[in-house]
Amino acid sequence: MDIHLSRPDVTEREIEAVCGVLRSPHLSLGPKLAQFERVFAEYIGTRRAVAVNSGTSGLFLCALALGIGPGDEVITTPFTFVASATSIMMAGARPVFVDIDPVSLNMDPAKIEAAITKKTKAVLPVEIFGNLAGLDRICEIAHKHNLPIIEDSCEALGSALDGKKAGTFGTMSVFGFYPNKQITTGEGGVILTNEDSLAEMCVSLRNQGRAKGGGWLGHERLGYNYRLSDINCALGIVQLSRIDEIKAKRRQVAEWYREMLAGDGRLIVPAEPKGCELSWFVFVVRLAEEFTGRQRDRILGQMRKRNIEVGNYFPPVHLMPFIAGPFGYKLGEFPAAESASQRTIALPFHNRLPQDDVATVCKTLKQVLDKELKD
Ligand SMILES: *Cc1c(COP(=O)(O)O)cnc(C)c1O
């Protein structure tokens, strides 16, 4: 591939910080962990932050900390990265999907109440592609029904809705730091909450169920090893300190795309929604309604043949056989999610993508669309 879907942006400062940890005796559970949690909580504005080894383990620990288990249901969206739903299943509970709003691509607030049953234990909204549209209404409904919110903010670091930051809507919220996210720790995640008891439970669960002050072999519950090393945390501290610069670079790339793709009726080009400050995670265009899933897949293939890496974010989660099978979901149940899924094309998008490459991607995409409509 000549033009990559995603690339990390690591500077000498990150490399120095990581080397500093390697020269120290504290590779895990050391001062960089505490510092990363402190600066992260400060940036988002929550009381507590608990760093973990991935966004997925963060979501799973939220479910456990909230007491979610077998027989319980958690409401979420079928148009997301698989971890939003599998974290619910890891806790032994059932993911109950509600369809999405066809514009924001987030869970449709108007569809949530019909999905609430006596077994519902939480709502897990996702800020898809960094977009917070509808989060306020989703939260209102959850509050009305006394349901805790697990906010999957893994794609939305730095986004805000009416000035309220992603990560502050949920009872608990989670960010992930895989290399394609706005900031990376290599692998990693963080859980945020204002409730000390939930934070303390996550601290114990990520560290083999150890009791606070109970020593290295003082285990008081079934726990996991979901610790994030100080090496990863040192990388994350520098990355987070660069978040404004990173957001600005990504915004510039998004603007180039928006200018170059404007006015092409075959495409729905993403825009910053009203009232939402979008921290750009990916640049996902959608084909117009008349395109089929097969046409989209051919277009993806043609782009790849021309050495441009593209993605199909996201296949509908409810139709993945290991989820559809056991929970009985079928094609046609969530038409807005299914329709959006069939028509997305994630274009190369990262901090260091040059304007020339954006131009090449746009020119190639238009040629591939011409060819698809002609054949
Ligand atoms: C990235 C992401 C996660 C977490 O992914 P990890 O690879 O486990 O860090 C969870 N939910 C969504 C929506 C994501 O995009």
Side-chain angles (χ1 to χ4, degrees):
M1 291 293 163
D2 296 332
I3 305 182
H4 299 275
L5 194 51
S6 169
R7 293 271 102 158
D9 179 4
V10 171
T11 68
E12 284 304 315
R13 278 179 61 207
E14 280 91 335
I15 293 167
E16 275 307 305
V18 166
C19 290
V21 175
L22 293 174
R23 290 187 196 102
S24 85
H26 304 292
L27 302 191
S28 191
L29 297 175
K32 292 297 168 187
L33 170 64
Q35 189 187 344
F36 184 49
E37 292 178 338
R38 190 174 64 246
V39 294
F40 208 93
E42 270 170 22
Y43 174 68
I44 301 294
T46 52
R47 279 173 44 75
R48 300 291 299 268
V50 180
V52 288
N53 64 348
S54 75
T56 305
S57 25
L59 291 168
F60 172 44
L61 292 193
C62 288
L64 292 184
L66 290 167
I68 292 162
D72 295 338
E73 296 177 354
V74 177
I75 294 174
T76 191
T77 164
F79 186 74
T80 181
F81 180 62
V82 70
S84 314
T86 52
S87 60
I88 297 166
M89 292 161 62
M90 289 172 200
R94 176 189 182 89
V96 172
F97 299 107
V98 301
D99 208 357
I100 59 169
D101 176 293
V103 176
S104 73
L105 308 181
N106 282 335
M107 203 192 295
D108 185 345
K111 302 222 161 89
I112 295 175
E113 282 194 311
I116 296 176
T117 73
K118 284 201 190 72
K119 296 180 181 169
T120 308
K121 287 289 152 60
V123 181
L124 194 157
V126 181
E127 292 146 352
I128 208 72
F129 306 150
N131 185 348
L132 267 60
L135 256 285
D136 46 353
R137 286 167 59 213
I138 293 170
C139 292
E140 265 170 39
I141 294 160
H143 293 319
K144 183 177 144 198
H145 293 269
N146 271 319
L147 293 168
I149 299 160
I150 302 172
E151 180 187 359
D152 184 342
S153 297
C154 286
E155 302 189 354
L157 180 62
S159 288
L161 181 63
D162 298 322
K164 188 173 160 59
K165 276 195 177 131
T168 62
F169 288 84
T171 316
M172 308 181 83
S173 60
V174 176
F175 290 90
F177 309 123
Y178 187 72
N180 72 335
K181 308 289 185 183
Q182 284 91 340
I183 73 164
T184 186
T185 59
E187 291 281 2
V190 71
I191 299 163
L192 299 173
T193 182
N194 287 323
E195 291 190 31
D196 287 326
S197 59
L198 293 173
E200 291 302 331
M201 179 59 83
C202 291
V203 167
S204 172
L205 288 170
R206 80 164 169 199
N207 190 17
Q208 306 285 13
R210 289 187 168 94
K212 195 175 187 180
W216 192 246
L217 299 179
H219 311 278
E220 64 177 356
R221 59 176 58 83
L222 172 64
Y224 304 83
N225 179 355
Y226 289 164
R227 296 184 300 261
L228 187 64
S229 84
D230 276 46
I231 305 167
N232 302 90
C233 290
L235 173 51
I237 291 163
V238 180
Q239 288 262 297
L240 185 63
S241 76
R242 296 177 49 223
I243 183 71
D244 290 338
E245 168 210 329
I246 289 171
K247 277 171 64 177
K249 285 179 173 172
R250 296 173 92 84
R251 173 172 300 275
Q252 174 62 261
V253 176
E255 274 167 19
W256 288 331
Y257 268 126
R258 287 181 39 75
E259 282 161 24
M260 294 182 205
L261 295 174
D264 190 325
R266 301 169 295 185
L267 296 172
I268 302 165
V269 176
E272 199 160 34
K274 233 176 74 210
C276 178
E277 183 196 344
L278 188 60
S279 169
W280 289 87
F281 167 53
V282 283
F283 198 85
V284 178
V285 296
R286 274 175 292 152
L287 296 168
E289 294 282 350
E290 57 269 24
F291 285 86
T292 66
R294 284 188 52 199
Q295 286 182 299
R296 191 279 309 268
D297 291 342
R298 273 202 299 269
I299 291 164
L300 292 178
Q302 290 296 324
M303 293 295 284
R304 289 174 184 138
K305 231 173 82 185
R306 289 160 177 76
N307 289 319
I308 295 173
E309 201 181 355
V310 286
N312 61 332
Y313 304 160
F314 286 106
V317 172
H318 66 285
L319 296 179
M320 295 184 184
F322 71 99
I323 296 178
F327 298 110
Y329 290 110
K330 289 184 185 62
L331 184 68
E333 263 181 284
F334 306 107
E338 290 165 12
S339 163
S341 290
Q342 287 196 345
R343 292 182 294 111
T344 56
I345 301 175
L347 298 176
F349 189 76
H350 55 86
N351 297 359
R352 305 205 240 197
L353 193 66
Q355 190 170 10
D356 286 355
D357 283 3
V358 174
T360 304
V361 173
C362 294
K363 198 178 87 203
T364 310
L365 179 60
K366 283 170 181 284
Q367 285 167 355
V368 167
L369 285 169
D370 291 342
K371 180 174 153 37
E372 174 60 37
L373 291 174
K374 194 158 79 350
D375 288 352

